[in-house]
Amino acid sequence: MTRARRLTVLGAAAALAGSLVAVPAATGTAASARPTADRDGATTATPEKTPVAVGHGGAVSSVDPDASAAGIAVLRKGGNAVDAAVATAAALGVTEPYSAGIGGGGYFVSYDARTRTVRTLDGRETAPRSAGKDLFLENGKPLPFEDAVTSGLSVGTPGTAATWDTALRKWGSRSLRQVLRPAQRLAAGGFTVDETFRQQTADNEARFRDFPATARLYLPGGKLPVVGSTLKNPDLARTYGELAHKGVGALYDGALARDIVRTVRTPPVRAGSPRTVRPGDLTAGDLRAYRVLSQAPTRTGYRGLDVYGMAPSSSGGTSVAEALNILEKSDLSRLSEKQFLHRYIEAARIAFADRGRWVGDPAQEDVPTKGLTSQRFADARACLIHDDKALTSPLAPGDPHHPARCAAAGRAAPTTYEGENTTHLTVADKWGNVVAYTLTIEQTGGSGIVVPHRGFLLNNELTDFSFAPAGPSVHDPNLPGPGKRPRSSMSPTIVLRHGRPVVALGSPGGATIITTVLQTLVNHLDRGMPLVDAIAAPRASQRNAALTELEPGLGNSPVRRQLEALGHAFKENPEIGAATGVQRLPDGRWLAAAEKVRRGGGSARVVHRS
C-alpha cells in the first residue's frame, strides 16, 4: 500500500469561495507493484495504484495502473491529452477487456486550451441497417435479457477504433502506430491478474466456456485465471499491430471486418453446448458505413461555471445538466445531509423521467436537447420537489417544448437496464488540454464472444435499446431501428470557469453513471469535498424507480432512516460506479483522482509529482 502523505492544495470549491482545501492522504486500496512488459519484452515493475496524485506536466486517471502508465508515457514523450487518452484506452482494452475494447464504442469529450472550446465525438455502436423495432422480439414477446445479451443479435457495429482514429486525426499530435505501441507490448508481455479480474471471469465462466475462443483466452488450461498470474493476449497484440500498420480501416473493410461479421452471423459455439446463441444480422456493409459523429456538446451554466457533456445519442449530458439546473437554486452547501440527499435524489428522479420520454438517437428521433438543458424547463420541474415528502416513481415526464409549472406530458416510461461494466479515463496535458473519455462493451464481458484469433470481445450494446414499448400510449424514443444508436448514460464531463478547466470526470456504471457524475460534481463544487473524497463518498442512485439504490456507507447510516421518514424507499447496491477525474489547481498544477476502494481502487498519475 502506498505510504500516505498529506498535501494542501487549492480545489475547485476554493476557486469559487477563495479558501484553502486539503487534499487528503492517498489512503485507499493500493495494489502492490506488478510486472508488465517493456519495449523489449522484458518485465518491469508497474507503479503501485494510488487514488490521488498532484504535479506538473499532465495527468492521467483510470481504473488500471498499466493503462495510466501508458498514458503518462505518451505525455512524457511530448504527446498531448488526446494522444494519451487513446494510449490509455488501448491499454484498458488489454487489462480491462470485460469493460471496453475495440469490439465496443464510447464518447470522447475534449477541451482545446488554445481555442478554449469543448468538442465531442460520438463513437456509439450502431444497429445493423436491417434492424427493426422487433429486433428483440420472438413470437411477439421480448426475449429474456440474458438470451439477448449472449448472442449475435446484441452486437452493434463497433465504434471505438474509429473514435481513436478520428480523435488523433482531428486533435492529436502522434500517429495511431505510436500511441498503440504501449498497449501492443502490454498485450504481448501480459498483465498480472488481480482479484477483480478473476471475480469478473468467474461471474462469466459458464458462458465463456461455451465459446472456444473466449475460453482459450480467459480460462487458460480450462481453469479460472489465478490471482498473481500473468495473462497474455498475443492475438490482440497482433490485431493492434495490424491496425497500427494498415489503419483502422482494416476493422471496417478488410480481413478483420470479415472475421467480425462471420463471428456475429455464425457465433462460434462449442460443440455440445446446450446454450441457444442467436445469430445477428451485422453485414460488411454495416461496417463500411459506420461513421463517428462530430457534434456540439451539451452546455449548462452552474454557479458561474460552464458544464459541458455529451449530447444525444447519450442521455448523460442532458440529464446531468437538467439535474444541476434543478439544484442550482438550492444552497446545497448549507443543507444538512438529509436535506442535501433528498433534493439530489429528487433532481435525479425528475431528470430520468424526462430522459425516458425524450432522449434517443437524434438521427431518428426529435430530441429537444436545448429544452432539456434549459433553466426554464428545470424551474418548471423543480417545483415538484417538497422538503417534507418524497416523490413517487414512476414519475411522468414534463414537456421541454412547452414548460409549465409542475405539469406532466404523458405517462411515465420505465428506465431500461444498462450493463454496468464500462470504463472511464480522464487526461490532461502540460498545455492545458483535457479529455474525458468513457468507453464500453456494455455488460461485464460484453456478448461473451471473442472474435477467433483476434483477441477481443464483441459488445452487446444493442441490449441498451428498449426491447418493446412500455405501452401503446407511451412513445419510446429508444426502440431499435436501422442504423440507430442505442441510448446511453455515459457522461464524460468537463467543467470550465471563464473558458479554463476546473475539473473533468466520468464513470462507468450503466444508468448509474449519470447519478455518479452528478453526485460527485455537487459533492465537490457545492459541498466542498476535495475531488478524491467527492469520488470516494458513498453514493445513492435514483433513476425514476420505486427504490433508490444506496451503497452500504449510506444504507447503514442514520440518514437512511431520516430519508425513509420522508417516504423514500431503498435497496442496497454494494458498489455504484468507479469514477476518475482531473482538476486544474490555481497554481497551474494538475490533480488526478480515482477511486480509493471501488473496483480495487483506481490509478491516478501525473508526469512530475509535486
Side-chain angles (χ1 to χ4, degrees), residues 423-440:
T423 195
H424 178 83
L425 61 97
T426 321
V427 179
D429 64 29
K430 63 184 179 182
W431 298 283
N433 303 304
V434 179
V435 171
Y437 182 23
T438 314
L439 61 161
T440 185

Side-chain angles (χ1 to χ4, degrees), residues 557-576:
S557 73
V559 75
R560 173 176 182 161
R561 292 187 294 275
Q562 296 169 10
L563 291 168
E564 286 173 335
L566 297 178
H568 291 281
F570 299 106
K571 67 176 179 179
E572 289 203 9
N573 183 333
E575 187 174 278
I576 298 174

